[in-house]
Amino acid sequence: MEASAPRRRTRIQQEKRDLILEAALEVFSARGFRGATIDQIAEAAGMSKPNLLYYFRSKEDIHETLMQRLLDTWLAPLRELDEIGDPLTELLGYIRRKLEMARDFPRESRLFANEILQGAPRIMPMLEGELKALVDEKAAIIERWMHAGKIARTNPYHLIFSIWATTQHYADFDVQVRAVLGPERSGDGRFEDAARFLEGLFMEGLRPKG
Amino acid sequence: MEASAPRRRTRIQQEKRDLILEAALEVFSARGFRGATIDQIAEAAGMSKPNLLYYFRSKEDIHETLMQRLLDTWLAPLRELDEIGDPLTELLGYIRRKLEMARDFPRESRLFANEILQGAPRIMPMLEGELKALVDEKAAIIERWMHAGKIARTNPYHLIFSIWATTQHYADFDVQVRAVLGPERSGDGRFEDAARFLEGLFMEGLRPKG
DNA sequence: CGAAATTTTGACCGGTTGGACAAACGTTAG
DNA sequence: CTAACGTTTGTCCAACCGGTCAAAATTTCG
């Protein structure tokens, strides 16, 4: 007795689905939704195409599940921004966490970048709902910090955008960063250089005058 | 008597090719190379697919021509960065020009973003050649400004990256910016808000202490 | 006008892709 | 053992896509 969609029961089924999602993350992030093929995902997951389609109804289904499962991870750094803490420390911490995500989860970053570049056809409701609500909440916190004189007065939304942009750049435009830095400066050290630079940029830019 | 590739002769041929490139920019920037179809480009250009293929040998040919033709426009703002001028003014001018390009040429921005996200399979030589050379040259200028005490000491490469990231963000992630700002704050004013914010961010961040 | 050159198109082709399906395979439990 | 259930795969299909081709339509030019 089951509903139309087969419910995940066994641990084996759950593991297979996770395996497929991992493979799909690899392929989708590298080629985009339309550029990826089910065959490529199946091969990356070590199974045949019909077998993959036994666990997911369609390519769209894989993508949707992947997006939903990654969303929490992706927004976690911003969720941690805490009004109680020291404003500059909190913002620098957010920048650091975001940069670490660009370093440790570049595929997730590219997956979202791909989706948004194409006009976000599949996640627009999430952007206008969950994301907007979260940003509104945190922007209000930042604004209270500004009014309290803890950080320089500026536009909190564009501040958040600038943090997204500067950190995700190292994941989304990785090949360009590497090409410009050259082989000798493209080692792991580039993330530490980036962290130092961004700390300096935002620190001085956000420090209240006087 | 002609070479293998038919040379552009008439004004009409040139205009048709321009028309196709304009249509291709629209389609490629919105869907990526693999997501775009020749039929879509042909329709956007108001002609049939075989007719389009009379003017360009292949889809790759269109993309390559488009990239080459856009490259100069895209790098122009950085080329204008002048060692003779006042460092802070020069950098702010560069930021402003880049932001204006994100506002006035968002399709070009997304075209390059799409290409780089996919690993830059078609323009890697340009990144490692022309782009790297230009950035090396300008980074050297910035470094001399730093040593002269005109601007704060920091990593000139990451400074350039941060300018690219923050400005192009408003073109590449436009739908996300609009979704987060909401309908009421997504008017043309958002670019002026962004300009003000970025000027504050970089000004304070780059001003030498003392 | 009329011939030559250029431009446009309908029809077609081979390869790819998302997905369906039934048969085969394996596993588990009575 | 064997029936039932879950899993895997070979095969197939229709739609799509990049590109070809020959013929038709149009323009150019003597």
Side-chain angles (χ1 to χ4, degrees):
Chain A
M1 291 314 115
E2 278 302 338
S4 58
R7 274 271 137 273
R8 253 70 70 233
R9 255 174 304 217
T10 72
R11 191 169 48 86
I12 291 180
Q13 284 206 0
Q14 193 54 263
E15 284 172 2
K16 288 275 182 173
R17 283 176 64 94
D18 289 346
L19 186 69
I20 292 169
L21 289 174
E22 157 66 24
L25 173 60
E26 187 71 28
V27 177
F28 278 142
S29 67
R31 336 248 325 203
F33 181 79
R34 304 208 50 174
T37 72
I38 298 183
D39 271 312
Q40 290 165 351
I41 299 173
E43 191 189 344
M47 64 180 68
S48 65
K49 179 170 66 170
N51 195 13
L52 183 150
L53 286 169
Y54 171 75
Y55 290 103
F56 286 91
R57 277 191 304 273
S58 67
K59 189 180 172 184
E60 289 269 3
D61 188 20
I62 304 173
H63 191 267
E64 192 184 323
T65 306
L66 193 58
M67 281 290 186
Q68 283 176 0
R69 197 164 296 195
L70 257 38
L71 185 60
D72 278 340
T73 310
W74 201 240
L75 295 183
L78 183 53
R79 285 216 174 84
E80 289 181 41
L81 195 75
D82 184 6
E83 181 159 15
I84 303 303
D86 172 65
L88 273 180
T89 308
E90 284 293 320
L91 285 172
L92 285 181
Y94 176 47
I95 292 168
R96 184 180 43 75
R97 289 193 297 275
K98 260 300 216 182
L99 190 59
E100 284 168 358
M101 294 209 52
R103 183 193 62 195
D104 299 335
F105 304 103
R107 298 177 305 174
E108 285 81 351
S109 186
R110 286 190 208 109
L111 183 71
F112 282 107
N114 253 310
E115 180 66 12
I116 292 175
L117 251 188
Q118 314 295 324
R122 279 168 275 272
I123 60 166
M124 184 56 94
M126 184 271 279
L127 297 185
E128 291 170 331
E130 199 170 348
L131 180 64
K132 178 174 179 357
L134 177 63
V135 174
D136 282 341
E137 175 198 332
K138 299 304 182 180
I141 292 177
I142 294 173
E143 214 146 35
R144 285 194 287 274
W145 285 342
M146 291 176 183
H147 281 105
K150 301 294 185 68
I151 57 174
R153 296 199 177 206
T154 185
N155 188 310
Y157 289 93
H158 291 276
L159 171 56
I160 292 175
F161 293 155
S162 71
I163 294 174
W164 289 350
T166 50
T167 55
Q168 292 175 6
H169 187 83
Y170 292 98
D172 303 342
F173 292 75
D174 181 53
V175 292
Q176 180 175 261
V177 167
R178 287 169 178 270
V180 167
L181 290 181
E184 65 278 7
R185 295 198 177 268
S186 286
D188 295 345
R190 72 187 189 284
F191 281 99
E192 288 154 33
D193 291 344
R196 261 193 302 275
F197 167 79
L198 290 178
E199 181 174 328
L201 174 65
F202 282 93
M203 258 296 196
E204 301 302 314
L206 297 176
R207 179 176 294 166
K209 294 170 187 173
Chain B
M1 290 311 116
E2 276 303 336
S4 57
R7 275 269 137 276
R8 253 69 71 233
R9 255 172 304 214
T10 72
R11 191 169 48 87
I12 290 180
Q13 283 205 3
Q14 193 55 263
E15 285 172 2
K16 290 275 182 175
R17 282 176 65 94
D18 289 347
L19 186 69
I20 292 169
L21 290 173
E22 157 66 24
L25 172 60
E26 187 72 28
V27 178
F28 279 142
S29 67
R31 336 247 327 203
F33 182 79
R34 303 207 50 172
T37 72
I38 297 183
D39 271 312
Q40 289 165 351
I41 299 173
E43 191 188 344
M47 64 180 67
S48 65
K49 178 170 66 171
N51 195 13
L52 183 148
L53 286 169
Y54 170 74
Y55 291 102
F56 287 91
R57 277 190 304 274
S58 67
K59 189 180 172 184
E60 289 269 2
D61 187 21
I62 304 174
H63 191 267
E64 193 185 324
T65 306
L66 193 57
M67 281 290 187
Q68 283 175 358
R69 196 164 297 197
L70 258 36
L71 186 59
D72 278 340
T73 309
W74 201 241
L75 295 184
L78 183 53
R79 286 216 173 84
E80 288 182 40
L81 196 75
D82 184 6
E83 181 158 15
I84 303 302
D86 172 66
L88 273 180
T89 308
E90 284 293 321
L91 285 172
L92 286 181
Y94 177 47
I95 292 168
R96 184 180 43 75
R97 288 193 298 274
K98 261 300 217 181
L99 191 59
E100 283 167 359
M101 293 208 54
R103 182 192 62 195
D104 300 335
F105 304 103
R107 298 177 305 175
E108 285 80 351
S109 186
R110 286 189 209 109
L111 182 73
F112 281 106
N114 254 310
E115 180 67 12
I116 292 174
L117 251 188
Q118 314 295 323
R122 279 168 274 273
I123 60 167
M124 184 56 94
M126 184 271 280
L127 297 185
E128 291 169 333
E130 199 169 348
L131 179 66
K132 179 175 178 358
L134 178 63
V135 174
D136 282 341
E137 176 198 332
K138 299 304 182 180
I141 292 178
I142 294 173
E143 215 147 35
R144 285 194 286 274
W145 286 341
M146 291 175 183
H147 281 106
K150 302 294 185 68
I151 56 174
R153 294 199 179 207
T154 185
N155 188 309
Y157 288 93
H158 291 277
L159 170 56
I160 291 175
F161 293 155
S162 71
I163 294 175
W164 289 350
T166 51
T167 54
Q168 292 175 8
H169 187 81
Y170 292 98
D172 303 344
F173 292 75
D174 181 56
V175 292
Q176 180 175 259
V177 167
R178 286 169 179 271
V180 167
L181 289 181
E184 64 279 5
R185 295 200 176 267
S186 286
D188 295 346
R190 72 187 191 282
F191 280 98
E192 287 155 34
D193 291 345
R196 261 193 302 275
F197 167 79
L198 290 177
E199 181 173 329
L201 174 65
F202 281 93
M203 257 296 196
E204 300 303 314
L206 297 176
R207 179 176 295 166
K209 296 169 186 173

